[in-house]
């Protein structure tokens, strides 16, 4: 999982890609998940995944667009930001749009414990099958 400073840097890089006349709000979450599948009392698949999800809301005046994505490099990040900005440019105006708010707030949070190793998950499956 990415360190909080890496996530902060990614948020700053994302917002830096916005045109000067576009406001933006970005939320970034580092994720980690694991899965063990079994059938006929045997494990047949172990999967583990780590990633970073970016949720971006942009506003050009009262034209607003939002999207989220998993991006792997700076080129993909630039394409993602450009696509959200392009969507805002064709969006209808929102008469009640309150704006993205002033200032910057960085909050680090983890709601979930990391997944166990494949061996840990196998032990849980073995206990289940044994029961």
């Amino acid at each position: 999982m990415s360190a909080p400073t890496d996530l902060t840097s990614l948020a700053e890089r994302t917002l830096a890609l916005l045109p000067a006349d576009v406001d933006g709000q970005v939320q970034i979450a580092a994720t980690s998940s694991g899965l063990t599948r079994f059938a006929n009392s045997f494990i047949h698949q172990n999967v583990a995944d780590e990633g970073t999800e970016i949720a971006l809301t942009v506003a050009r005046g009262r034209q607003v667009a939002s999207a989220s994505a998993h991006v792997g490099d700076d080129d993909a990040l630039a394409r993602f930001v450009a696509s959200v900005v392009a969507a805002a440019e064709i969006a209808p105006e929102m008469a009640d749009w309150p704006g993205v708010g002033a200032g910057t707030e960085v909050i680090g949070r983890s709601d979930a414990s990391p997944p166990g190793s494949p061996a840990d998950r196998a032990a849980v499956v073995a206990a289940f099958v044994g029961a």
Side-chain angles (χ1 to χ4, degrees), residues 15-119:
L15 293 174
L17 291 168
L18 294 175
D21 64 337
V22 173
D23 293 323
Q25 178 184 42
V26 64
Q27 296 178 4
I28 299 178
T31 60
S32 180
S33 63
L35 168 74
T36 298
R37 292 182 181 192
F38 67 99
N40 300 321
S41 300
F42 292 97
I43 293 172
H44 65 89
Q45 183 180 29
N46 270 306
V47 178
D49 184 44
E50 289 189 359
T52 303
E53 181 178 7
I54 301 174
L56 178 63
T57 299
V58 299
R60 177 169 268 144
R62 294 189 176 278
Q63 293 176 281
V64 182
S66 296
S68 63
H70 295 268
V71 296
D73 59 35
D74 287 341
D75 289 337
L77 179 62
R79 288 190 307 273
F80 169 67
V81 171
S83 70
V84 181
V85 170
E89 291 172 351
I90 62 171
E93 288 195 3
M94 295 178 64
D96 59 348
W97 173 245
V100 294
T104 301
E105 181 178 11
V106 177
I107 299 171
R109 183 179 99 180
S110 176
D111 290 337
S113 58
S117 69

